[in-house]
Amino acid sequence: MSLWIINGNVWNEESGKLEQKHIRVSDGRIAEIVDAGVIDTGSAEVIDAKGKLVSAGFIDMHVHLRDPGFEHKEDIVTGSRSAAKGGFTTIACMPNTRPVIDKPETVKYVLDKATEAGLVKVLPYAAITKNELGRELTDFAALKEAGAIGFTDDGVGVQNAQMMKNAMALAKSLDMPVIAHCEDDSLVEGAWASEGEFSRKHGIKGIPNESEAIHVGRDVLLAEATGVHYHVCHVSTEQSVRLIRLAKSIGVSVTAEVCPHHLLLSDEDIPGLDDANWKMNPPLRTPRDVQAVIEGLQDGTLDMIVTDHAPHSAEEKARGVDLAPFGIVGFETAFPLLYTKFVATGKWTLGFLLKRMTQDPARVFRLETGRLEQGAPADLTIVDLENERAVDPATFLSKSNNTPFGGWELKGWPVTTIVDGKVVWSE
C-alpha cells in the first residue's frame, strides 16, 4: 500500500527549524521525503497535513497495560488505543500484572493480544524475580527467547543486593538490560507523599529522597561490577540525578528516564489530602528536585521521557489518599503538557522534545523505530501545534481517567497516528 503525507512540517535538526515536506510511505516504510511542491501522488492514499507537525512516532518505554489480571483498569487494546491517541507508536509494558509476566507463555499472551489489536507496537518487559517477590530469579534466557526486551520488577524495588547483582550478571550474559524501580522499602512504609513542605504542613509521614537514591547508588556500583546495561525508572530526586551523572562520567553503562509529572509538578502543587489523583510513585518531590530532573534531562543525564501510564478505576482512586493505589494515566496528555510548558515558552526547542520522545528511547533500547528518514519504519505522528484546548479526562480513550491535569489549557495535540504505514488513530 502506498501513502503520501503532503504539506507536513518536519523538524530539521541542522537548521533548527520546521520545513515543509511531502513524505511517501510504501510497504510500511518511509520511501522518500521530498521538498514541498506540486507532486504526482498517483493512485496512492493522501493525507494532507496542512502545515501540521509530522514527527517520528513517539516511544514510551514505561507503561502499565494492566493485562492480564487487572482489565477493569486497562487492557492491551484500550491501552494501545489510548497510546495511539497520545501520538505513541511504540510502548513497553511493565510486568506487574496478575499473573506477573515471569513466564514465556505470559510474554506470548501480551505479544499475541497486541498483534490481534493491530494498533501500536507493544514491547513486553519480563520480571527479574518470580512473582516480583525478590526471592528467585526468573528464566531470563527463556523470557528473552519468548520476546521480552528487558528485565524489571517495576512496581517494587529488588531489596536484596546479591539478588540484583546476580540478575545483572545473568542479563549481561544475554546482552539484555536490567530496568530498575529504585525504592528501599524500609524507608517508605506507611507514606504516600514526599518528605517536604506538603508532608510537614499536613503532619503526615513523608517518603524521603534517599529511598530512591540509595538503590540508584547501589545499582550503579553493581552495574559497574557486572558491565550490564542498567536503566533507572522514573527518576524523581536531585540525589538520583547526581549519582547517575557521576556514573555516566566514569563510563558506567547507565541510562535513565523521567516522567512529565516529575518535570512539571512538585509536592507544593498538591491541593490537599482529598484527591488521590495526586498520589503516584515516586511521589511528587520538592521544587529543588523538579529543577534537578529538568537539568538532568537537558544535559543528557536523563536520556528520555516516559509516561509511567498507570491507570486505576475511579472507584479505587475514590478510596482516599491512604487507601487508593499509586499512579496516574499519561498517554493522552504527555506531549501537549511538555510542548505547552517547555517548548511554547521557549525553554526547549521542539527538536529537543521530539528527540527525547523518539530518537533517544530508540537509541537506548536499540529499536529500529524513532527515526523520520528514508528506509525507516513508517511510524509517524501528526500534531496540531496551534490547537489549544483543556484537558478533559472524560474524553480519554483509556479505561481510566486518573490525572491531576484535568482542566489544564494545553497546545500541541496529536491528530493522527500511523504505525507501519497504517493509520491507527485519527481525530
Side-chain angles (χ1 to χ4, degrees), residues 162 177 414:
Q162 185 64 59

Side-chain angles (χ1 to χ4, degrees), residues 167-389:
M168 288 184 173
L170 182 53
K172 171 64 177 175
S173 74
L174 294 166
D175 192 27
M176 293 283 275
V178 166
I179 296 90
H181 174 113
C182 292
E183 185 173 38
D184 185 313
D185 288 352
S186 67
L187 291 167
V188 303
E189 193 175 347
W192 65 270
S194 188
E195 194 173 82
E197 186 61 34
F198 180 84
S199 63
R200 285 190 292 271
K201 176 182 171 184
H202 292 280
I204 60 175
K205 181 181 177 182
I207 298 173
N209 283 14
E210 307 89 77
S211 63
E212 176 180 288
I214 282 171
H215 269 207
V216 173
R218 178 200 74 177
D219 290 352
V220 159
L221 293 171
L222 298 177
E224 183 181 29
T226 59
V228 76
H229 170 201
Y230 168 62
H231 181 78
V232 189
C233 290
H234 41 49
V235 174
S236 68
T237 74
E238 183 269 332
Q239 292 93 329
S240 297
V241 174
R242 195 177 348 126
L243 288 164
I244 296 163
R245 187 178 286 125
L246 174 62
K248 284 191 168 189
S249 75
I250 61 171
V252 180
S253 180
V254 56
T255 55
E257 64 190 38
V258 65
C259 305
H261 44 276
H262 291 124
L263 293 164
L264 291 164
L265 300 171
S266 79
D267 63 333
E268 295 181 16
D269 294 308
I270 303 173
L273 298 175
D274 299 326
D275 189 351
N277 286 328
W278 294 79
K279 180 179 180 179
M280 58 204 74
N281 190 11
L284 297 175
R285 306 285 186 178
T286 69
R288 176 177 171 176
D289 295 305
V290 173
Q291 190 55 39
V293 295
I294 290 171
E295 290 172 5
L297 186 70
Q298 290 171 174
D299 70 16
T301 300
L302 309 181
D303 298 82
M304 69 188 73
I305 296 162
V306 302
T307 67
D308 194 9
H309 176 80
H312 296 290
S313 70
E315 293 75 24
E316 289 166 316
K317 278 295 191 179
R319 292 174 189 162
V321 289
D322 290 329
L323 297 176
F326 290 93
I328 64 171
V329 292
F331 285 144
E332 299 177 44
T333 55
F335 187 84
L337 279 168
L338 297 168
Y339 178 79
T340 302
K341 300 302 176 181
F342 290 104
V343 178
T345 56
K347 296 185 176 86
W348 297 347
T349 66
L350 176 59
F352 174 82
L353 175 57
L354 293 175
K355 188 168 182 288
R356 290 289 189 263
M357 293 183 72
T358 59
Q359 293 172 42
D360 287 327
R363 167 184 56 80
V364 167
F365 286 96
R366 298 181 294 188
L367 307 178
E368 192 189 11
T369 53
R371 299 172 295 124
L372 185 61
E373 59 189 51
Q374 188 175 340
D379 292 3
L380 305 165
T381 300
I382 303 176
V383 182
D384 187 343
L385 297 178
E386 299 305 315
N387 180 15
E388 184 168 2
R389 66 172 185 259

Side-chain angles (χ1 to χ4, degrees), residues 3-289:
L3 166 72
W4 275 99
I5 301 166
I6 62 171
N7 304 319
N9 273 330
V10 172
W11 180 262
N12 184 315
E13 199 58 54
E14 290 181 9
S15 68
K17 295 177 181 175
L18 288 168
E19 297 177 353
Q20 197 156 96
K21 301 284 185 180
H22 302 316
I23 301 167
R24 183 169 68 86
V25 172
S26 182
D27 296 325
R29 292 192 171 264
I30 298 171
E32 59 181 321
I33 303 173
V34 300
D35 292 337
V38 178
I39 52 166
D40 179 9
T41 57
S43 60
E45 181 186 349
V46 176
I47 295 174
D48 189 348
K50 296 180 180 175
K52 297 179 181 69
L53 170 71
V54 181
S55 165
F58 306 149
I59 298 171
D60 190 347
M61 296 306 296
H62 188 136
V63 319
H64 298 269
L65 297 180
R66 306 299 190 203
D67 187 356
F70 300 110
E71 290 90 345
H72 66 286
K73 302 172 190 272
E74 193 79 283
D75 60 47
I76 290 165
V77 175
T78 61
S80 296
R81 203 174 285 139
S82 178
K85 186 180 177 185
F88 293 95
T89 54
T90 298
I91 58 177
C93 61
M94 290 297 170
N96 58 336
T97 50
R98 287 295 178 274
V100 169
I101 304 175
D102 61 1
K103 293 183 176 68
E105 50 265 37
T106 320
V107 174
K108 185 176 184 301
Y109 166 87
V110 172
L111 290 170
D112 287 350
K113 196 161 179 183
T115 300
E116 190 181 326
L119 296 164
V120 304
K121 293 169 180 171
V122 177
L123 310 175
Y125 293 113
I128 293 172
T129 64
K130 292 181 179 179
N131 278 321
E132 292 196 333
L133 293 174
R135 296 174 190 154
E136 185 182 354
L137 292 180
T138 57
D139 187 340
F140 282 22
L143 290 162
K144 177 184 179 180
E145 179 70 21
I149 62 156
F151 304 103
T152 179
D153 274 5
D154 184 63
V156 288
V158 176
Q159 302 301 306
N160 184 293
Q162 185 64 59
M163 182 69 68
M164 191 57 143
K165 187 174 184 181
N166 293 346
M168 288 184 173
L170 182 53
K172 171 64 177 175
S173 74
L174 294 166
D175 192 27
M176 293 283 275
V178 166
I179 296 90
H181 174 113
C182 292
E183 185 173 38
D184 185 313
D185 288 352
S186 67
L187 291 167
V188 303
E189 193 175 347
W192 65 270
S194 188
E195 194 173 82
E197 186 61 34
F198 180 84
S199 63
R200 285 190 292 271
K201 176 182 171 184
H202 292 280
I204 60 175
K205 181 181 177 182
I207 298 173
N209 283 14
E210 307 89 77
S211 63
E212 176 180 288
I214 282 171
H215 269 207
V216 173
R218 178 200 74 177
D219 290 352
V220 159
L221 293 171
L222 298 177
E224 183 181 29
T226 59
V228 76
H229 170 201
Y230 168 62
H231 181 78
V232 189
C233 290
H234 41 49
V235 174
S236 68
T237 74
E238 183 269 332
Q239 292 93 329
S240 297
V241 174
R242 195 177 348 126
L243 288 164
I244 296 163
R245 187 178 286 125
L246 174 62
K248 284 191 168 189
S249 75
I250 61 171
V252 180
S253 180
V254 56
T255 55
E257 64 190 38
V258 65
C259 305
H261 44 276
H262 291 124
L263 293 164
L264 291 164
L265 300 171
S266 79
D267 63 333
E268 295 181 16
D269 294 308
I270 303 173
L273 298 175
D274 299 326
D275 189 351
N277 286 328
W278 294 79
K279 180 179 180 179
M280 58 204 74
N281 190 11
L284 297 175
R285 306 285 186 178
T286 69
R288 176 177 171 176
D289 295 305

